[in-house]
Amino acid sequence: MERIGESRAGAGVSRALVPAAAANVQLGAARPNSVSGGLVEQLRVLEEMKSAITALQARVAVAFDLAQRVEQAEAGVPAAERGQGVGAQVALARRESPNRGSRLLGLAKALVVEMPRTMAALQAGLLNEWRATLLVKETACLSVEDRAAVDEELAADTGTFDGKGDKAIVAAAKAAAYRRDPRSVAGRAARAASERMVSLRPAPDTMTYLTALLPVAQGVAVYKALTRAADSARSSGDAGSGGASGSGSSVPTRGQVMADTLVERVTGTPGGFSGINLDLVMTDRTLFQGDSEPARLQGYGIVPAEWGRTVVAEQATPDAELTVWLRRLYTAPGTGELLATDSKARLFTGRLRRFIETRDATCRTPYCDAPIRHIDHVVSWNSGGKTNPSNGAGLCEACNHTKEHPGWTATTLHGKSHAGAHGVHTLEISTPTGHTYQSKAPPLPGHHPIRT
């Protein structure tokens, strides 16, 4: 029989890097007679390998965190500041966003230090990373001792969750946590109200998900108000007034009326536009000549050319609520990089800020898609950095704070592209371990990256 380290399926994985549980899995254990049976067996084994590798990643992440803290202590970093930026380095190594990296590091610490039986189940392939995350999440409100006791009670490494779905696992973890410390669970619910928020993320076909996380009473009240307004409008025959264009139906559904009512009540106008600046970036060919080159809407992403022209045409009519302003952007030939302007000011404000927001679209840290919150100097002002687009980068709040930690540096690469023109604006980020990562500004509509 072939072991993982010796089989063709795992030829690229060093046996020294695979945990013992994964190394003991044998691809030929079942030896199904049919080809289909063999393929299913491979899927199962590969899934167990993924779980085992995830467990190893958790152990490595915890070891890296400890090593960083030791190095920072030797460098004289105060105890309260040690460990800062470790999650961001984990994220870059795993090609994840900084937010995701911090959560992965927290998951690793909980599994390795506080929940050994869940960790053993993950390493043995009895749980995958997501279900281990659910167990960690539902016990987060407990003390270290109570969390370990719940881990012992659930005994995930004995196969107690074999065949169970996500909801069953969450229910078991919640019940065990409540039995152990009901006051902490109740306190967690009370603190949840402080996490209320509204978020926006793209959806297919030029749609978005506007999500509100609210306390249950407020959420139910909002939903009931929308349903009551929709039912009243439909019964009186006014359901079609003030609806969004392109609904695809002459008689709006109840859900469509609820959505239209939400937009009208929040913005104060039926169409949803009330003096808000929408930065829609498109080429002159797309706007005036019917070209198919897609446009880009700030805060959303790529949108179809026809949709962009329709929005501009509808809002440019004399009776529209929104005034359309056209602002020309000049780009460098060949690369599409926005041309720079200089400033003696210390802060990126006004047109200079909007310039960088248009160029960068989202946070410039690799793998981070968070909205831009800060426009910061790549080379700091105190170090002689200028306030111009070349030395500015759009960052989210977390990434801007991370780059200020000891050992982190950022520079702008001033090179030439293969086409002979100035290259696309590129950042090089260096971490305390000496690893470097590059981030290029996304191409503007009408310009495509040059393949080499």
Side-chain angles (χ1 to χ4, degrees), residues 193-344:
S194 65
E195 300 175 356
R196 60 191 182 278
M197 60 172 292
V198 177
S199 62
L200 183 72
R201 54 193 177 92
D205 304 322
T206 64
M207 302 290 283
T208 60
Y209 294 105
L210 176 65
T211 305
L213 179 63
L214 301 172
V216 62
Q218 297 178 12
V220 172
V222 170
Y223 187 78
K224 282 190 174 181
L226 292 175
T227 55
R228 188 163 47 246
D231 292 340
S232 176
R234 284 168 60 84
S235 62
S236 63
D238 295 332
S241 62
S245 62
S247 62
S249 174
S250 58
V251 181
T253 65
R254 185 167 180 260
Q256 289 172 338
V257 178
M258 290 173 65
D260 296 340
T261 303
L262 173 65
V263 171
E264 182 173 353
R265 291 189 176 183
V266 172
T267 63
T269 57
F273 300 103
S274 56
I276 299 173
N277 183 62
L278 296 178
D279 288 325
L280 181 63
V281 183
M282 65 174 69
T283 66
D284 53 352
R285 301 184 304 277
T286 296
L287 180 59
F288 298 116
Q289 300 176 12
D291 191 73
S292 60
E293 179 66 34
R296 190 175 78 194
L297 181 64
Q298 290 295 101
Y300 177 84
I302 299 300
V303 294
E306 183 64 30
W307 182 91
R309 285 192 294 270
T310 300
V311 168
V312 173
E314 288 180 350
Q315 301 304 325
T317 56
D319 57 345
E321 296 288 340
L322 178 69
T323 301
V324 176
W325 292 85
L326 297 181
R327 182 179 296 109
R328 289 183 293 272
L329 302 175
Y330 298 96
T331 60
T335 66
E337 182 182 13
L338 288 177
L339 298 178
T341 58
D342 205 349
S343 172
K344 295 182 179 180

Side-chain angles (χ1 to χ4, degrees), residues 78-259:
E81 299 178 8
R82 294 171 194 167
Q84 293 181 347
V86 174
Q89 294 184 71
V90 171
L92 288 170
R94 293 191 59 171
R95 298 181 179 178
E96 298 279 6
S97 69
N99 180 269
R100 172 74 172 158
S102 296
R103 286 188 281 125
L104 288 171
L105 179 59
L107 171 67
K109 290 180 178 180
L111 290 174
V112 174
V113 179
E114 302 172 7
M115 304 182 70
R117 302 201 69 164
T118 301
M119 179 66 172
L122 179 64
Q123 186 166 325
L126 299 176
L127 290 176
N128 58 24
E129 184 177 26
W130 171 242
R131 290 179 175 173
T133 303
L134 293 177
L135 292 175
V136 170
K137 179 181 177 182
E138 295 303 328
T139 58
C141 59
L142 302 177
S143 65
V144 174
E145 294 77 11
D146 287 338
R147 195 179 216 179
V150 169
D151 181 58
E152 181 69 24
E153 177 183 341
L154 296 177
D157 57 330
T158 63
T160 55
F161 294 125
D162 189 25
K164 299 293 192 298
D166 292 352
K167 291 183 179 180
I169 291 176
V170 169
K174 282 184 175 180
Y178 189 80
R179 284 193 297 269
R180 183 62 54 178
D181 189 355
R183 183 171 297 180
S184 293
V185 177
R188 176 182 175 183
R191 291 191 299 271
S194 65
E195 300 175 356
R196 60 191 182 278
M197 60 172 292
V198 177
S199 62
L200 183 72
R201 54 193 177 92
D205 304 322
T206 64
M207 302 290 283
T208 60
Y209 294 105
L210 176 65
T211 305
L213 179 63
L214 301 172
V216 62
Q218 297 178 12
V220 172
V222 170
Y223 187 78
K224 282 190 174 181
L226 292 175
T227 55
R228 188 163 47 246
D231 292 340
S232 176
R234 284 168 60 84
S235 62
S236 63
D238 295 332
S241 62
S245 62
S247 62
S249 174
S250 58
V251 181
T253 65
R254 185 167 180 260
Q256 289 172 338
V257 178
M258 290 173 65

